[in-house]
Structure formats: structure tokens, C-alpha cells
Amino acid sequence: MRAARLIRMVLLLQTRRSMTAAELAERLEVSERTVARDALALSEAGIPVYADRGRAGGYRLVGGYRTRLTGLGRDEAEALFLSGVPSALREMGLADAASAARLKVAAALTPELADAPHSAAQRFHLDAPGWWQPTETPGALPVLAEAVWDDRLVTARYRRRDGSRAQRTLEPYGLVLKAGVWYLVARADGDPRVYRVDRFGSVTPLGERFERDADFDLPGFWEERAAAFARSILRETAVVRLTEAGTRALRYATDRAAAEDALARGETDEEGLTTVTLPVESLDVAYGQLLALGPECEVLGPPELRDRMARAAERTAELYR
């Protein structure tokens, strides 16, 4: 514990010309007296920690003591500090490790690159969860993250979409954070599959490791599977006639890719109204989505959806009479 703290103190002093005892105590989460003892221990170990006395005093390293990474350019250094989503690292239990890694890299940067972490952080911020979504961490996530890093088999109890439960032995290949929801990509019975992490009831790491397929491409697999999933859930169609405003709003009210494809195939009449055949998940889902377009959208079919929209329009009109 103390050894790790001493190393961190050296790294902090490498990133700053000088730090007061109070600043070091806050960053290291110890008392100022402990900071003084640690500085003395470092000095006795041959690390040139110098204490400046007085109101403007503090601790600093002398003699150019530092460890450098050679060949690291500014664009590479700034990109390195964009490589993680803080909330995701925290949920996986890797926040401390990531913080230590960033600190080590920052300490190793040459003086002309020392502002790279700050310049990147002030220009770009990644916020993964969707709007108005709760950010509860799935209980199984840290265990799965450790298994992914370690290529370790796990047995897991999983709740399917229909509510039934299954128990499987999985080879956890990777984790994906999509719109605030965590997914596990794992091999089961030899095939790669996707599981929602919040549906795992229990996960038990096994003593056995699996041999990872070196050719497996997680980003490529996810992109292909996500596109296939989006297409698979659009099982119904609705025929709608849209105003110009409706054509602009359609892609925001329904599946974007399906809307853009439907609009590209649509026909516009002399009055400027565009008729499209829109793939939808279900008529119930379509009702809620198209209702949001109000008078900018007229449903032409199927008849049951048109009747339902008409009744909703009548009830809405009655409210405003």
C-alpha cells in the first residue's frame, strides 16, 4: 500500500513542477504529516525530492529526475487520453487502473507535451448513456469485465427475453456499451452470441481459460450484428403520406435507417406530399411513433392502424374544442 503511494507521489511530482503538502495530501488521500514522511523516505531511497520552506514552498523533484517515453507525438498523446469513457471504466471496476495509467503516461511525457491531457479533456468528452436513461451498473459487469480481460470461462444464469432462464458456460470475448446498455459478446457452443448484461442473474468464473480466436474482430462483429438486429425487428409495414415537415421528422420518430430507405423509395405528388412504405417493428409501436408526427403524417394503411390513428385524432380534436 505504501509502496504504491510512494510511486504515485513521484509521478505526481513529475507532472507538476511543485506541489504543496496540502495538494499532495489531497491527491494521495493522506495527512500532510504522512506526505512529509513519504518525502523523507523517497529522499533516503535516492529519489531527489526537495522540500521548499515558507508560504510559497512545497515539494519538487530536482536534477531533471523523470522517466520518458520516446517517440510520442502530440496527436498520439492527446488521442491516448481520449481512449476511455470514464463512466464505463468506473462501472467495469477499472477506474483506479485507468487513473494510474494516465498518471504514469502524463509523468513520462516530455515538457512540450505535458499539456496534452488537459488540452484533450477540455475539447472532447464522451458521454455514453442515452438521455433520460438510468445509469445503474449491472451487478455482473465487474465479474464479466475481469473474465474478458483474463480470457477465463464463466458459467452464467441468464434471463431470456421471454422470461425463461438458462444456464450456460461462456467464453466472454468482449463488452460493448450501446446507448447506456451493456452487452456481452461471448461464444456459447462454439458460436458468438450477444447477451444483455443486466439479464445475468449470476456469473461464476471458472479456473479454466479459453483460447481466444485471434481473428475475431469485436467492432466488426458488433456492427454487423447490430445492423442485422435492427432489420430483424422490423416485421410490419405502414403506408404513410407525409408533408414536407413530416419527411424531415420521420427519421427522428422511427428507425432512422428504415425511414431514410423508405423516403428514398417514396413518391411525391403535385401537392408536395410524399407517400412511403415504412418498415416498423409492430403496429402498436408504429402507432406511438407516427402519432408524434401529428398532422404532418397521414396513415393510409393497414386499415386497423389508420382507424386507430383516426380515433386518436378525433379524441385530440375534442379536447381542443
Side-chain angles (χ1 to χ4, degrees):
M1 185 71 175
R2 190 190 184 196
R5 189 176 70 243
L6 292 174
I7 293 172
R8 193 171 180 217
M9 182 174 179
V10 173
L11 294 174
L12 284 168
L13 292 175
Q14 284 186 193
T15 61
R16 303 270 292 275
R17 284 192 173 184
S18 177
M19 295 184 71
T20 66
E23 289 173 334
L24 283 169
E26 181 180 359
R27 294 294 299 273
L28 299 173
E29 299 181 350
V30 295
S31 67
E32 293 186 28
R33 181 173 298 181
T34 299
V35 169
R37 287 198 297 265
D38 287 350
L40 179 61
L42 289 171
S43 181
E44 291 175 348
I47 297 175
V49 178
Y50 181 78
D52 291 315
R53 307 296 180 184
R55 289 181 57 188
Y59 294 91
R60 59 187 175 89
L61 291 172
V62 297
Y65 184 90
R66 67 186 301 109
T67 299
R68 293 183 178 178
L69 294 177
T70 58
L72 192 65
R74 168 170 294 279
D75 57 341
E76 296 170 322
E78 292 184 341
L80 180 62
F81 286 90
L82 293 174
S83 61
V85 180
S87 61
L89 292 169
R90 184 171 57 252
E91 291 179 3
M92 288 190 293
L94 300 174
D96 290 342
S99 176
R102 286 193 294 269
L103 185 58
K104 289 178 181 179
V105 174
L109 293 176
T110 56
E112 60 271 19
L113 299 179
D115 67 331
H118 178 76
S119 65
Q122 292 304 312
R123 287 166 173 79
F124 302 98
H125 176 68
L126 302 177
D127 185 10
W131 289 105
W132 307 293
Q133 298 295 323
T135 56
E136 296 180 4
T137 303
L141 181 60
V143 179
L144 288 172
E146 187 173 349
V148 166
W149 278 114
D150 209 23
D151 293 342
R152 190 175 296 277
L153 289 168
V154 300
T155 58
R157 292 184 60 82
Y158 185 75
R159 175 173 49 83
R160 298 190 181 99
R161 190 180 303 176
D162 61 6
S164 63
R165 298 184 180 274
Q167 181 166 325
R168 295 182 180 276
T169 298
L170 303 175
E171 297 177 0
Y173 264 65
L175 288 161
V176 177
L177 179 60
K178 170 71 171 178
V181 179
W182 283 98
Y183 297 89
L184 173 72
V185 176
R187 285 192 182 273
D189 302 325
D191 297 321
R193 302 180 183 181
V194 178
Y195 302 88
R196 278 187 59 139
V197 175
D198 58 7
R199 289 182 181 163
F200 282 105
S202 63
V203 177
T204 304
L206 303 178
E208 182 182 356
R209 287 184 171 86
F210 64 90
E211 185 175 348
R212 178 179 289 266
D213 181 359
D215 295 328
F216 181 77
D217 175 20
L218 179 62
F221 169 82
W222 177 261
E223 183 177 358
E224 181 180 339
R225 183 60 62 91
F229 174 75
R231 291 192 300 268
S232 70
I233 64 174
L234 302 177
R235 302 184 181 91
E236 305 274 357
T237 58
V239 180
V240 298
R241 185 157 50 211
L242 303 159
T243 65
E244 185 177 346
T247 60
R248 292 195 300 269
L250 184 66
R251 68 199 65 194
Y252 302 107
T254 65
D255 180 88
R256 188 182 185 92
E260 290 179 347
D261 184 61
L263 289 169
R265 299 170 184 269
E267 297 181 357
T268 303
D269 61 23
E270 296 178 354
E271 298 179 2
L273 300 176
T274 302
T275 300
V276 301
T277 300
L278 178 69
V280 294
E281 182 176 345
S282 68
L283 296 186
D284 283 340
V285 172
Y287 170 76
Q289 292 174 335
L290 298 176
L291 199 61
L293 300 180
E296 311 303 333
C297 169
E298 178 188 359
V299 174
L300 303 179
E304 58 267 36
L305 180 59
R306 178 178 173 85
D307 291 344
R308 190 173 177 186
M309 297 290 289
R311 291 195 299 272
E314 290 171 359
R315 294 199 307 271
T316 303
E318 185 64 32
L319 290 175
Y320 289 93
R321 286 197 179 100

